[in-house]
Amino acid sequence: MAIDTGALPVIDLDGYINPKSPSDKERVIAEVRDACRKYGFFQIKGHGIPLKTQEGLIRGLGNLFHQPEEEKAKLSFLKNPGRRGYEASGVGGLRAGDALHDSKEAFYIGREDPVLEPPGFYGPNVWPNLPEEDCHSPIWEYYQGTSVLGRIIWGILLQGLGHSTDLLDVFAKRPIVQMKMIRYPPSSLTKPGQFGVGAHTDFGGVTVLLQEPAKAGLEVQDSETKEWLPVPSIEDVLIINCGDMIHKWSGGTYKSAKHRVINKADTERFSCATFWHGDASATNPMSPEDADKDTIGQLLFKRFKSQFSLPKETKDQPAGVPPHPNESGMPQLVKVQ
């Protein structure tokens, strides 16, 4: 049964993952459906990712972000045609309504594919020159865990809308699964009015978020009251939310809520978001007759247009067709000044 925390519900996924009766699964599906209809967000326990894996991730993030600035800059995602690597604080354009850039710094990874494939959704990751056990191993273990969890959440969402989990085989044969690791500076190092991350909705499918325990910062906007709801940071509890693509594909049944991050503590804070979308060439599997045939890849490019300046052939590329490569073999990402 869902536990009401006063804001976002906490749902125990163990009843779905390890059901003792058919009603256990049905109960979890109903709780998730209701949470997504009301908030677009919910918290989960019993998710199957060991606590030691989460703790290993946090240690790995500390080692990753505590490298010298010049070492992190060598791995800048702006130099990487697959948009993998390090993002320094202040990189990218301002969101509408924000007076200042986000204070966060971030690092991106995705599926580990050996060959870079245009337009860049599949390819190899970049990693810092650190001992395996200090960075790559714990981070990759967590990534793999959330990759499995993201698929489970998608299955629950589909069933909540009356669909079979077999639809995953239609749109997620080789899904885009991106992970964004984030460090927020202490509050004393941010400017008045500066957010860790300004108010936004997520672009695509399922987001799985880990907040460093006892260091809350996430706030979710109630779409009806416009009130900002603080989300506690509880050990071994993850946060799930639906992106804009799920809102659209579900016909508006599942919400994609605005959220933001404010680190109010005078210590650094880590978090990690895994974004589980689907195949780059997939369209809405719940409504094949939908006149809008934008692929997941096309929607990704549309989202990037609000943050980066991409070549015209990339911006205007028809759905499902790779853009013409530049000298690097990929569309060049250019920081908005």
Side-chain angles (χ1 to χ4, degrees), residues 10-233:
V10 178
I11 299 173
D12 190 347
L13 282 196
D14 189 62
Y16 182 89
I17 298 172
N18 301 299
K20 294 180 173 57
S21 70
S23 63
D24 288 345
K25 273 196 167 186
E26 293 168 4
R27 182 177 64 252
V28 173
I29 292 168
E31 290 172 355
V32 169
R33 181 186 62 234
D34 293 346
C36 291
R37 281 176 169 172
K38 184 173 183 180
Y39 297 111
F41 269 81
F42 57 97
Q43 302 172 85
I44 57 170
K45 61 181 183 178
H47 42 68
I49 298 179
L51 181 59
K52 67 176 184 178
T53 300
Q54 301 169 53
E55 293 170 341
L57 171 74
I58 296 298
R59 287 195 299 272
L61 297 190
N63 294 328
L64 173 67
F65 286 111
H66 292 161
Q67 295 180 98
E69 293 300 322
E70 59 270 20
E71 290 300 314
K72 292 185 287 187
K74 292 176 184 177
L75 299 174
S76 173
F77 81 116
L78 293 174
K79 302 174 183 177
N80 186 285
R83 203 172 185 269
R84 314 285 177 97
Y86 176 67
E87 177 186 16
S89 178
V91 170
L94 285 173
R95 289 183 192 84
D98 284 0
L100 298 166
H101 291 88
D102 295 343
S103 66
K104 70 169 190 328
E105 55 182 317
F107 199 96
Y108 301 88
I109 64 171
R111 292 171 53 101
E112 191 68 80
D113 293 296
V115 178
L116 189 67
E117 300 176 30
F121 301 130
Y122 304 107
N125 291 307
V126 295
W127 296 95
N129 186 23
L130 292 171
E132 174 72 16
E133 67 275 12
D134 289 346
C135 184
H136 177 270
S137 182
I139 289 173
W140 190 247
E141 181 178 339
Y142 179 81
Y143 173 86
Q144 290 179 306
T146 52
S147 294
V148 172
L149 179 59
R151 192 176 190 94
I152 291 171
I153 298 297
W154 259 111
I156 294 172
L157 293 175
L158 289 169
Q159 291 173 88
L161 294 170
H163 298 287
S164 167
T165 57
D166 291 344
L167 272 187
L168 282 163
D169 297 327
V170 175
F171 78 94
K173 298 181 182 69
R174 194 185 178 202
I176 297 171
V177 182
Q178 301 162 320
M179 194 165 87
K180 181 177 183 179
M181 297 162 277
I182 309 169
R183 177 190 175 272
Y184 299 96
S187 59
S188 61
L189 299 181
T190 60
K191 300 174 182 177
Q194 185 179 33
F195 294 100
V197 176
H200 67 286
T201 58
D202 288 348
F203 140 76
V206 167
T207 301
V208 179
L209 176 70
L210 180 147
Q211 297 191 98
E212 185 176 3
K215 293 186 179 182
L218 175 66
E219 297 181 348
V220 176
Q221 188 176 55
D222 186 305
S223 62
E224 296 178 1
T225 66
K226 306 305 179 185
E227 177 186 3
W228 287 100
L229 307 173
V231 182
S233 179

Side-chain angles (χ1 to χ4, degrees), residues 77-78 80-83 304 308-311 331-335:
F77 81 116
L78 293 174
N80 186 285
R83 203 172 185 269
F304 286 165
F308 299 97
S309 175
L310 298 174
Q332 182 66 44
L333 296 172
V334 181
K335 184 173 76 171

